[in-house]
Amino acid sequence: MDERVVTVAAVETVGPGTVAIDVETPEGFEALPGQFVLVRATVEGEELSRYYTLSSPDVDGTFELTVGVDPDGDISPWLADLDAGAELTIEGPFGNVKYDDGGDVVVAAGGPGIGPAVAIAERAVEHGHEAVVLYQDDGPAHTDRLDALEAAGATVHVFDDDADPDLADAVGEYGDDGEVYVFGFADFCGAVTDALESAGLDADAAQVESFG
Ligand SMILES: Cc1cc2nc3c(=O)[nH]c(=O)nc-3n(C[C@H](O)[C@H](O)[C@H](O)COP(=O)(O)OP(=O)(O)OC[C@H]3O[C@@H](n4cnc5c(N)ncnc54)[C@H](O)[C@@H]3O)c2cc1C
């Protein structure tokens, strides 16, 4: 996959320890929400790369990446410190988990997984479909976009990190209401697929993107 140098259009704090990075879409770049790019960076002389998932419903003009900032991490604090006009090297898009206006959606998100979750829900609602967002995070991000989704008719539930039983109940309640997408770190993805199985739903049919 070819590398592309892209320009940062804006970096905005969208929640506790969470930034949204708007990137100018390079010519010929096409991607759908749910897909991810590889970001390459040289931080303190070390060449590093990490994956980040699209958090905008489309790539028209710009596209967005939502980054949960790990203060002990190598790349995420560096990304959060970027200014408009900075250049990034990316590769991609990658990934078969993607949404292309294909009907009703139920999106489960843990932590920074809320980025692709709001993007997919927005794209579904824009195209006249139903959307459910089940989001687990003690310090929720993208609350403006979640409020707008609710106002547009989507169902949104936010759970504290210690509310695993409530999340599992909600997965069972809504898990049959549309195509299921799951975004977040491995423990979260495992909890959601376990909850689908416990509810007698087809966990293998869920589109799961684990962040590691
Ligand atoms: C397909 C995919 C999509 C992803 N999409 C997103 C996304 O949309 N948004 C998002 O925020 N993240 C996403 N991620 C995760 C992202 O790629 C990074 O892993 C994350 O941002 C952390 O990177 P970092 O360089 O800041 O931290 P890292 O330097 O990777 O460190 C992470 C943590 O591990 C600890 N650590 C590192 N090395 C060691 C070691 N040797 N021993 C013990 N502890 C160690 C660090 O202290 C830190 O707490 C995605 C991952 C994948 C695989």
Side-chain angles (χ1 to χ4, degrees):
M1 185 74 60
D2 290 344
E3 284 188 357
R4 302 167 195 257
V5 176
V6 294
T7 304
V8 172
V11 181
E12 187 193 352
T13 297
V14 292
T18 311
V19 295
I21 301 175
D22 249 327
V23 175
E24 289 176 13
T25 303
E27 206 173 316
F29 180 83
E30 289 180 13
L32 289 166
Q35 290 191 292
F36 53 90
V37 293
L38 181 74
V39 175
R40 293 191 181 282
T42 305
V43 182
E44 293 174 6
E46 198 182 347
E47 286 187 25
L48 301 166
S49 61
R50 299 284 186 275
Y51 293 111
Y52 293 96
T53 311
L54 260 70
S55 59
S56 48
D58 57 52
V59 298
D60 299 344
T62 60
F63 67 90
E64 186 193 81
L65 306 172
T66 294
V67 178
V69 182
D70 183 336
D72 299 323
D74 286 328
I75 282 202
S76 56
W78 179 87
L79 286 170
D81 274 349
L82 291 176
D83 293 315
E87 290 188 332
L88 280 179
T89 302
I90 65 163
E91 287 177 41
F94 302 106
N96 296 321
V97 173
K98 54 191 171 189
Y99 178 72
D100 190 10
D101 323 334
D104 298 345
V105 293
V106 178
V107 198
I114 193 58
V118 288
I120 287 174
E122 286 167 354
R123 193 168 173 118
V125 168
E126 265 170 33
H127 288 83
H129 305 300
E130 303 287 328
V132 176
V133 179
L134 306 176
Y135 173 29
Q136 188 171 34
D137 197 323
D138 274 347
H142 283 309
T143 50
D144 292 354
R145 287 168 72 180
L146 290 168
D147 289 347
L149 276 165
E150 262 192 311
T155 300
V156 176
H157 291 292
V158 182
F159 304 94
D160 287 341
D161 286 342
D162 62 4
D164 290 354
D166 296 339
L167 171 70
D169 286 349
V171 169
E173 182 180 347
Y174 294 105
D176 213 12
D177 288 1
E179 182 151 24
V180 175
Y181 289 82
V182 187
F183 297 97
F185 288 98
D187 288 354
F188 175 82
C189 295
V192 173
T193 50
D194 286 352
L196 287 167
E197 269 170 23
S198 299
L201 298 168
D202 184 3
D204 292 338
Q207 301 221 41
V208 182
E209 193 68 73
S210 171
F211 289 1

